[in-house]
Amino acid sequence: AVDPTLAGRRVLVTAGATREALDPVRFLSNRSTGKMGYALAREAARRGAQVVLVAGPGNLPDPEGVEVVHVESARDMHAAVLARAGWLDVAIGAAAVADYRPAVFQPHKIKKGEDRLVLELVRNPDILADLGRQKRPGQVLVGFAAETADLAEYARRKLEEKNLDLIVANDVTQPDAGFAVDTNRAVLVHRDGRQEDLPLMSKDALAAAILDRVAALLGRRDPE
Ligand code: C5P
C-alpha cells in the first residue's frame, strides 16, 4: 500500500557486488547477490516512492516500476550515485562495494608465467561517505554494516564516519544472515544512539522494517 510519507519521495538504493576488472576477462568480486537491495527497491516502489536502483551485475530481475541503472565497478557505481546526489531524498547503501580495485587494468589478457604473481590493489571511493559529506538538510542516508565481531560498536563508528542517519548491521558469520540467503538478523543503530535488535526475518520483512524507520525520519521533517 502507498505510504503517505514515502509517496513521491526520491529513493536511491545500491545493491549487489561490484566487479573490479584485472584484464578483459577477469575480475575481483564478492558473494553479494543483491537480494537485500532489490527487496528494498521493490518495497519502496510499492509504497509509492520514485525509486532508482543502482545495481552491480547479478541474476535478479529488474523490479517493476523501478528505474534500474546497471553498473559494473565501484567507480561506475560511485559515478551513477553521485550524479543523483542532489536529486535523492533517501539513499540506502545495500551494495557490497569492493574496497579495493587492481591498481592497473591490463588491456590484454594476463598470461600465465612465473609461479608467483603479485597483485597491487588501490582503494575505491566510498560512495555513502561521499553522499554523507554533501548531505543536505532533510536527506536521509542509510548504510549497512556486515561485521564478524562487535556489531553495534563498529556500526556506530561507521554511522558517525559516513554521516548516516541509520545503519543496519548484521553478523555475517551467522548462516541465516548475510550473503545469498533469504533471511537476515539485523541490529539497527540510529543516529540518536537508539539500538534495535531485530529478530530473524525475511529480507522482504527487513526491507519493510527499514522503510518504516526511513518514513519516521522523513516524517519529522517538512516535505519539499
Ligand atoms: O565501511 P563499510 O564498507 O563496512 O561500509 C558499509 C556501508 O558503506 C554499506 O552501506 C556500503 O554499501 C557502503 N559503502 C559504499 N562505498 C564503499 C564501501 C561501502 O557506499 N566504497
Side-chain angles (χ1 to χ4, degrees), residues 14 93-95 97-99 124-128 142-145 147 158 162:
T14 68
V97 183
D99 293 323
N124 272 327
D126 191 312
I127 300 164
L128 268 185
V142 181
F144 277 72
E147 303 293 348
K158 252 167 225 183
K162 303 191 193 212

Side-chain angles (χ1 to χ4, degrees), residues 14 47 64 118 142 160 165 189 199 205 208-209:
T14 68
R47 294 184 185 208
E64 203 144 327
V118 178
V142 181
E160 293 290 338
D165 299 283
V189 177

Side-chain angles (χ1 to χ4, degrees), residues 73-91:
S73 68
R75 285 193 293 179
D76 296 343
M77 186 175 279
H78 183 267
V81 172
L82 270 291
R84 292 166 175 84
W87 170 85
L88 60 91
D89 297 314
V90 178

Side-chain angles (χ1 to χ4, degrees), residues 46 58 60 73 87 94 98 141 155 161 190 194-195 202 209 221:
R46 217 177 55 80
L60 300 174
S73 68
W87 170 85
L141 301 184
E161 281 168 8
H190 295 256
R194 262 181 315 128
Q195 180 182 325
S202 70
R221 292 154 185 174

